[in-house]
Amino acid sequence: MPLTSINHLAMVTDDLVKTTRFYRDLLGLELFLGKGVNGFRHYIFRLGPNQLAFFEYPKAGPREARPQGERRGFDHVSFTVGSKVELFGVRDRLRAAGFAVSEVIDYGMVWSFHSEDP
């Protein structure tokens, strides 16, 4: 039985309101499942055939910043846009909404920016 794709990535958040604002309202992903079970909430956002799942645990707290050489576990998710103009547009929209966003960086094979939020 060969694996054919990733169904979803599951991440933890301490604030599903902020997470929903970021992924649905600012990035345009579809929130297609929201469920509260056993003391936590679970939301799934759809992006084409892919899904991002979030479990809300209020005591999770914000992610600790670690020096580059000390990263452990899941680090980030990267999205593709159609052009550099769209990339700068997304970055500007996130900044205008108050999210901390880096400058756009040219890595040679890809242009990228980073956000520590949500």
Side-chain angles (χ1 to χ4, degrees):
M1 198 156 111
L3 302 177
T4 59
S5 66
I6 293 175
N7 180 271
H8 68 273
L9 298 174
M11 297 173 269
V12 172
T13 180
D14 65 341
D15 186 345
L16 264 176
V17 171
K18 187 174 184 180
T19 298
T20 299
R21 180 174 170 244
F22 188 84
Y23 287 97
R24 184 193 65 194
D25 301 344
L26 294 170
L27 297 182
L29 276 63
E30 173 194 0
L31 173 60
F32 77 96
L33 177 73
K35 199 169 193 168
V37 192
N38 299 326
F40 68 88
R41 291 189 296 170
H42 181 207
Y43 283 16
I44 299 179
F45 299 87
R46 187 176 311 184
L47 176 63
N50 306 301
Q51 302 170 73
L52 296 176
F54 288 90
F55 291 88
E56 181 185 54
Y57 296 103
K59 294 182 181 179
R63 184 180 70 164
E64 292 180 27
R66 295 186 178 98
Q68 186 71 17
E70 295 183 25
R71 296 197 190 272
R72 292 175 236 147
F74 183 81
D75 184 68
H76 71 275
V77 61
S78 177
F79 300 102
T80 300
V81 296
S83 69
K84 265 199 296 186
V85 170
E86 290 176 6
L87 177 70
F88 278 86
V90 170
R91 191 245 0 229
D92 293 345
R93 188 168 55 247
L94 295 177
R95 279 186 172 170
F99 287 91
V101 179
S102 74
E103 294 300 321
V104 174
I105 302 163
D106 178 0
Y107 286 99
M109 62 175 220
V110 67
W111 288 70
S112 179
F113 68 83
H114 305 271
S115 173
E116 292 301 319
D117 291 314

